[in-house]
Amino acid sequence: MKIVVLDGYTENPGDLSWEGLEALGEVKVYDRISYAESPAIAEAIGDADIAITNKTPISKATIDKCPNLKMIAVLATGYNVIDYTYAKEKGIPVANVPTYGTQIVGQYAVGLLLEICSHFQHHSDTVFEGKWENNIDWCYWDFPMIELYGKTAGIIGLGRIGQSSARILKAIGMNVIAYDSFQSDAGRELAEYKDLDSVLAESDVIFLHCPLFPETEGIINKDTIAKMKDGVILINNSRGQLVVEQDLADALNSGKVYAAGLDVVSTEPIKGDNPLLKAKNCLITPHISWAAQAARQRIMDITVDNVKAFIDGAPVNVVNK
């Protein structure tokens, strides 16, 4: 069984091992091929039986050029980089890793909020620059300090990750409300379900934890922002395309949105002309909510299990059944 990993570096920059896959077949690992459609992708897959990707796209054209391809595994939860519908037509199962990052992504989302509320790094930097040593008062702060206790957090998408954030937010003492098309008993234990307009109108902080579907693309736009409280905070470490970025930038610059904490943008790596780069009070990190070693090890372990299950004739975590 020939296995090719198309973009292994972000999953394993050297602190993990590919030995689990290597026990299942002949493995070729590329650090990266291309994050845009390219003939090099099909060339890299070649006559492999199994292609493993994170963000390298696998299109209909690529699938057609790789007639030996029997399975595609994704080193992530999202699989929109793959033409999974066409893969199904060709009898190629696409398997993802659905639950590896539940806790760390929820932790990261709340971490973005805490940084916005207290500006830890900024104030630490000023101390090392000598500002505290030379200050006439015994303390100072350069931004408003925001207490979250008693405020309302609205979560759009109360699945596993949304619930992870909700647990932390409730521990802080926030009131948690949520909008989700699919309600659950587990969700009801952590938040009060409301319609989308109510969540937009009542929340002091809004978290995006929903997947990217046609109905959620651009869910944060000038019209939905207009329904929010003045001075709302937005947190997004789900998918950048959930936000119309120019509309959010305008709202940040006007003060309608007080601040945004983002770990994702519409095009990654971010482009220099992204309007959010010049927006006020916008914290952007480079899509690293998932990147703790423990979480990446879970990705590795589950991917190995996915490949093994396919080889054994009982595929699991298949998203294009």
Side-chain angles (χ1 to χ4, degrees):
M1 189 70 67
K2 290 186 176 181
I3 302 168
V4 60
V5 181
L6 296 173
D7 52 348
Y9 183 80
T10 51
E11 160 65 11
N12 178 18
D15 55 353
L16 302 178
S17 171
W18 298 106
E19 62 184 10
L21 282 177
E22 291 168 346
L24 301 175
E26 177 187 336
V27 178
K28 172 68 175 179
V29 178
Y30 294 91
D31 281 346
R32 57 192 67 81
I33 299 295
S34 174
Y35 296 126
E37 179 68 15
S38 168
I41 299 170
E43 292 173 10
I45 295 173
D47 64 348
D49 302 281
I50 298 172
I52 299 177
T53 183
N54 193 326
K55 296 294 183 289
T56 298
I58 300 180
S59 65
K60 177 181 183 294
T62 295
I63 292 170
D64 283 340
K65 292 176 182 176
C66 302
N68 203 45
L69 189 61
K70 300 178 180 66
M71 179 206 183
I72 300 170
V74 188
L75 290 163
T77 301
Y79 49 90
N80 56 298
V81 297
I82 297 168
D83 192 335
Y84 53 90
T85 301
Y86 185 65
K88 179 180 179 179
E89 292 178 14
K90 300 291 285 187
I92 301 170
V94 176
N96 74 339
V97 181
T99 59
Y100 76 92
T102 301
Q103 304 306 326
I104 188 59
V105 178
Q107 171 190 311
Y108 197 96
V110 178
L112 288 170
L113 174 61
L114 295 177
E115 172 62 21
I116 286 169
C117 291
S118 300
H119 296 270
F120 303 114
Q121 188 61 58
H122 166 82
H123 288 103
S124 175
D125 288 345
T126 65
V127 169
F128 282 93
E129 291 163 1
K131 183 173 180 178
W132 197 12
E133 178 184 359
N134 297 300
N135 201 61
I136 60 173
D137 296 311
W138 60 273
C139 72
Y140 61 89
W141 55 94
D142 294 338
F143 297 90
M145 296 287 103
I146 299 173
E147 182 179 64
L148 293 169
Y149 178 82
K151 287 184 165 56
T152 296
I155 300 176
I156 299 176
L158 196 62
R160 294 184 185 94
I161 294 173
Q163 291 173 26
S164 175
S165 289
R167 292 185 187 94
I168 304 171
L169 297 167
K170 286 178 73 69
I172 292 172
M174 297 190 76
N175 172 46
V176 183
I177 60 177
Y179 167 73
D180 198 307
S181 299
F182 304 96
Q183 300 183 9
S184 68
D185 291 339
R188 291 187 188 92
E189 292 179 2
L190 295 166
E192 179 184 359
Y193 282 110
K194 298 203 172 192
D195 60 70
L196 179 59
D197 282 354
S198 296
V199 170
L200 294 172
E202 297 174 20
S203 300
D204 299 294
V205 184
I206 294 175
F207 289 83
L208 299 182
H209 284 314
C210 53
L212 178 64
F213 292 133
E215 59 269 27
T216 59
E217 184 173 2
I219 194 171
I220 301 302
N221 56 63
K222 61 182 180 181
D223 294 326
T224 53
I225 291 171
K227 297 175 181 179
M228 299 177 189
K229 288 183 177 181
D230 292 345
V232 69
I233 296 171
L234 178 72
I235 304 295
N236 182 21
N237 62 338
S238 181
R239 289 292 182 266
Q241 297 93 329
L242 298 172
V243 176
V244 178
E245 290 170 333
Q246 185 62 63
D247 291 354
L248 176 57
D250 292 344
L252 286 163
N253 290 331
S254 72
K256 172 66 178 181
V257 175
Y258 170 70
L262 312 173
D263 187 48
V264 289
V265 292
S266 60
T267 301
E268 297 173 350
I270 196 168
K271 293 187 177 297
D273 61 356
N274 189 308
L276 294 169
L277 288 171
K278 295 182 179 179
K280 297 178 182 177
N281 294 337
C282 191
L283 172 65
I284 306 175
T285 56
H287 202 147
I288 53 174
S289 298
W290 67 286
Q293 185 185 36
R296 289 185 289 107
Q297 184 64 63
R298 284 192 291 274
I299 293 173
M300 183 74 78
D301 294 343
I302 295 171
T303 299
V304 170
D305 290 343
N306 286 347
V307 172
K308 185 176 187 302
F310 169 76
I311 293 172
D312 291 344
V316 295
N317 295 323
V318 176
V319 299
N320 65 336
K321 293 180 180 179

